[in-house]
Amino acid sequence: MRFRRAGIALLFAVLLVLPARAAQGPSALEVLFPPDLTFSIEPTLKIFAFRPAKGDPVIPVVNGKAAPPLEGETFLKGEISLSPGINLLQVGEKPVRIFLLENTRIDLFRLPTGEDGKDLVFQAYRIHPALDDGCEGCHTLSDGKLAAKDQKEACYACHNDFSKAEEGKKVYVHSPVAAGECTGCHDPHFATRPKLQKLEKGCFECHDPFPREGSVHRPVGNGECVACHSPHAGPAPKQLVRAGNALCLGCHKETHTRHRSSAILGTLTRVPDDFPKEGGQLACAGCHTPHQSPNARLFRKPQDELCKICHLV
């Protein structure tokens, strides 16, 4: 029994250490997916690889056993079966560690290595469905080398062209979208985040965060920029998902009863001509800022100053 346990421990150590070693000898095969330390909740996993020229069949090896050959000539794909726990995949000369844990919803799994403070971190990934169609949809192949197509040409072959508005309507397009820089925010192959997002800071990768002092709009504090802004294109300036007061009333159902009409309500009320209005109503943005304010309730000015804009004293 002691020798059996020692053998299992030795095998486990080999599985942990082997992928960290450099592959021996040159290899023209590039594994596109999966990367090392992949986590899976499904007993089967897709494999995608590329090689610049046709060659012998590529046979994946999982835990020392041969799997069905990958299909294709230059763009190769296939599927392997996994065993519960840690698996060692070798495609060509590239070893990859995969951990299978079924019937769970987690996206990340930590496996202790026995060394203090050191864990193997296995990560689940979302795959771009375009990989199933091959490289040719997004790349050109010349002399065994892949080159990316124009991003608008490649992405809009499957996705909507956000710059096109419905007839009679206007659309406000996010500048990176207008420039065709889809991969500025999305990974074209696979990613850990939903919708293949690759930016750890999200919108704040490009946009400056708002101060945390004073009052902060709850969606802003929660990092929910897309509650008000479309990341691609919207029907209102700054890619807002709705225009004017309709945007605020999407969440704030209880409206002001005495601060809606732009008509004079009494002898002590005089709304300036330049105060923001929306048709026959006062605009919410006339008194409140949308993101952050040093004043209470997101007021644009201290309350006593704000009231004096319209109310005589």
Side-chain angles (χ1 to χ4, degrees):
M1 179 64 72
R2 186 181 353 180
F3 293 106
R4 182 181 179 185
R5 290 179 179 174
I8 294 175
L10 178 60
L11 174 61
F12 184 73
V14 170
L15 291 176
L16 296 184
V17 175
L18 180 58
R21 298 174 181 167
Q24 300 298 316
S27 176
L29 182 70
E30 178 184 359
V31 177
L32 303 177
F33 185 86
D36 188 28
L37 297 178
T38 291
F39 176 69
S40 178
I41 62 173
E42 300 291 341
T44 58
L45 188 71
K46 291 183 177 182
I47 300 178
F48 299 97
F50 170 79
R51 59 182 175 184
K54 302 177 184 178
D56 296 332
V58 176
I59 301 176
V61 177
V62 184
N63 301 329
K65 296 182 179 179
L70 299 184
E71 300 176 356
E73 296 177 346
T74 56
F75 177 74
L76 309 170
K77 61 181 179 179
E79 195 170 78
I80 59 171
S81 298
L82 303 173
S83 300
I86 194 168
N87 294 259
L88 182 65
L89 164 67
Q90 289 183 288
V91 184
E93 296 180 356
K94 183 178 178 64
V96 175
R97 290 164 290 184
I98 305 165
F99 198 94
L100 170 64
L101 183 62
E102 298 184 76
N103 301 318
T104 183
R105 295 184 179 181
I106 62 175
D107 291 327
L108 185 145
F109 181 80
R110 293 183 177 274
L111 181 67
T113 63
E115 299 182 32
D116 292 341
K118 292 186 178 180
D119 294 340
L120 289 179
V121 181
F122 292 83
Q123 178 69 60
Y125 295 95
R126 295 164 173 84
I127 303 175
H128 194 181
L131 283 178
D132 281 319
D133 298 330
C135 300
E136 295 82 0
C138 301
H139 298 273
T140 58
L141 180 61
S142 178
D143 296 328
K145 296 182 179 180
L146 283 177
K149 292 182 179 179
D150 175 79
Q151 288 194 34
K152 285 187 176 181
E153 175 189 352
C155 298
Y156 290 159
C158 299
H159 299 277
N160 293 331
D161 184 346
F162 296 104
S163 63
K164 293 183 178 180
E166 297 181 18
E167 186 175 354
K169 296 183 179 181
K170 188 173 182 179
V171 63
Y172 297 83
V173 184
H174 197 187
S175 55
V177 176
E181 299 172 352
C182 305
T183 54
C185 297
H186 302 278
D187 193 291
H189 297 127
F190 60 87
T192 60
R193 298 177 180 86
K195 300 183 184 298
L196 299 176
Q197 297 176 60
K198 69 178 186 181
L199 301 179
E200 182 177 353
K201 296 180 181 178
C203 301
F204 297 128
E205 197 78 29
C206 298
H207 299 275
D208 293 331
F210 295 97
R212 309 296 296 183
E213 297 80 15
S215 54
V216 179
H217 200 185
R218 183 177 296 177
V220 176
N222 294 339
E224 300 170 350
C225 305
V226 294
C228 297
H229 302 273
S230 168
H232 299 113
K238 299 183 179 180
Q239 298 96 242
L240 292 174
V241 296
R242 289 182 295 278
N245 288 354
L247 177 67
C248 304
L249 296 178
C251 296
H252 300 277
K253 303 299 182 183
E254 297 295 329
T255 59
H256 293 290
T257 57
R258 302 181 65 85
H259 290 90
R260 294 292 303 281
S261 174
S262 61
I264 300 299
L265 299 179
T267 57
L268 296 179
T269 301
R270 183 177 59 196
V271 180
D273 292 338
D274 60 353
F275 191 90
K277 303 179 183 68
E278 186 177 328
Q281 297 181 338
L282 301 177
C284 303
C287 294
H288 303 277
T289 64
H291 299 114
Q292 180 272 348
S293 171
N295 306 302
R297 300 182 183 179
L298 296 170
F299 285 145
R300 292 190 173 276
K301 295 183 177 183
Q303 187 169 354
D304 58 342
E305 296 182 24
L306 187 67
C307 296
K308 291 177 183 178
I309 295 176
C310 298
H311 297 283
L312 303 178
V313 294

